[in-house]
Amino acid sequence: AQSVTQPDIHITVSEGASLELRCNYSYGATPYLFWYVQSPGQGLQLLLKYFSGDTLVQGIKGFEAEFKRSQSSFNLRKPSVHWSDAAEYFCAGTGGFKTIFGAGTRLFVKA
Amino acid sequence: GAVVSQHPSRVICKSGTSVKIECRSLDFQATTMFWYRQFPKQSLMLMATSNEGSKATYEQGVEKDKFLINHASLTLSTLTVTSAHPEDSSFYICSAPSGTGLYEQYFGPGTRLTVT
């Protein structure tokens, strides 16, 4: 069955430190992959997406993600986290119609 | 960029009443819209696919008679929670595919439903 897995329920990083949020997918073929961010009580904002081509994808707010087919992963990274990055992050995938979301990773940023 | 709006943003209703949530695509047409439900600290679960001019497609386990979906125009889909109960309290989010295809979606800001 198709699935998107985010192994980490929550992560805490210090402000200014680097960040990596993990995402693994299980699809029959390479899906289209997305990372979204959600602030409390808000909708989802698209950070970046991968359809094909360059496996390192740049997004908004200084985020990037790397698609690794061999590991079925699409991890999100940021070199230096800001306090305003504290939020819920969702990895999502689609095989062409329905989108499947991971469980989400809550990011806490400590001063 | 494309914007999807939802109304209301928050609603409180009494148990047994019905409540309607609107989802609008503001500057593009959407023949398909998706409705998601999100419980606190959980992920989004697809409830149904709203199709303009035809019946909605519901995911397994979603009661179609309880969650009525109407896609009346190319810019409006509504979700009506009928005979609401406290367990229906949740965050409801709609989305619409971008014009480039069905792969990328634009999400509404969500509607917080509280049933007392």
Side-chain angles (χ1 to χ4, degrees), chain B residues 55-76:
Chain B
K55 293 182 179 180
T57 305
Y58 291 82
E59 295 300 299
Q60 189 173 8
V62 177
E63 300 176 61
K64 60 180 67 177
D65 294 331
K66 180 167 188 63
F67 298 100
L68 299 180
I69 291 174
N70 182 270
H71 200 135
S73 73
L74 289 172
T75 59
L76 173 64

Side-chain angles (χ1 to χ4, degrees), chain A residues 15-30:
Chain A
E15 190 170 17
S18 63
L19 168 71
E20 181 169 33
L21 302 182
R22 296 184 291 165
C23 173
N24 294 98
Y25 66 88
S26 176
Y27 274 81
T30 299

Side-chain angles (χ1 to χ4, degrees), chain A residues 11-106:
Chain A
I11 283 182
T12 301
V13 299
S14 298
E15 190 170 17
S18 63
L19 168 71
E20 181 169 33
L21 302 182
R22 296 184 291 165
C23 173
N24 294 98
Y25 66 88
S26 176
Y27 274 81
T30 299
Y32 301 96
L33 296 164
F34 307 85
W35 274 100
Y36 293 91
V37 61
Q38 184 183 35
S39 297
Q42 303 295 315
L44 275 69
Q45 182 181 22
L46 178 67
L47 288 175
L48 46 78
K49 60 192 176 189
Y50 173 77
F51 288 168
S52 64
D54 194 346
T55 57
L56 185 62
V57 181
Q58 301 297 320
I60 62 171
K61 303 184 178 185
F63 286 93
E64 67 177 25
E66 185 171 13
F67 171 73
K68 292 185 177 180
R69 186 188 303 275
S70 62
Q71 298 177 19
S72 297
S73 68
F74 187 56
N75 295 347
L76 181 71
R77 301 195 294 247
K78 187 170 184 178
S80 179
V81 169
H82 188 262
W83 64 267
S84 60
D85 293 324
E88 186 86 23
Y89 291 81
F90 292 99
C91 181
T94 178
F97 192 71
K98 296 180 183 178
T99 298
I100 298 175
F101 287 84
T105 299
R106 168 72 63 178

Side-chain angles (χ1 to χ4, degrees), chain B residues 18-111:
Chain B
S18 296
V19 60
K20 179 184 290 186
I21 302 170
E22 294 184 346
C23 177
R24 292 181 184 274
S25 57
L26 296 184
D27 55 0
F28 66 104
Q29 295 181 334
T31 57
T32 299
M33 290 184 178
F34 301 96
W35 286 97
Y36 296 85
R37 183 173 182 176
Q38 184 181 29
F39 289 105
K41 300 183 179 180
Q42 294 189 27
S43 188
L44 282 74
M45 298 299 297
L46 180 64
M47 298 175 64
T49 303
S50 174
N51 304 300
E52 190 270 335
S54 64
K55 293 182 179 180
T57 305
Y58 291 82
E59 295 300 299
Q60 189 173 8
V62 177
E63 300 176 61
K64 60 180 67 177
D65 294 331
K66 180 167 188 63
F67 298 100
L68 299 180
I69 291 174
N70 182 270
H71 200 135
S73 73
L74 289 172
T75 59
L76 173 64
S77 174
T78 60
L79 168 68
T80 301
V81 183
T82 63
S83 187
H85 288 92
E87 56 265 31
D88 299 324
S89 299
S90 190
F91 195 55
Y92 293 87
I93 301 176
C94 71
S95 72
S98 70
T100 60
L102 294 177
Y103 307 130
E104 184 174 350
Q105 299 183 51
Y106 299 115
F107 287 86
T111 297

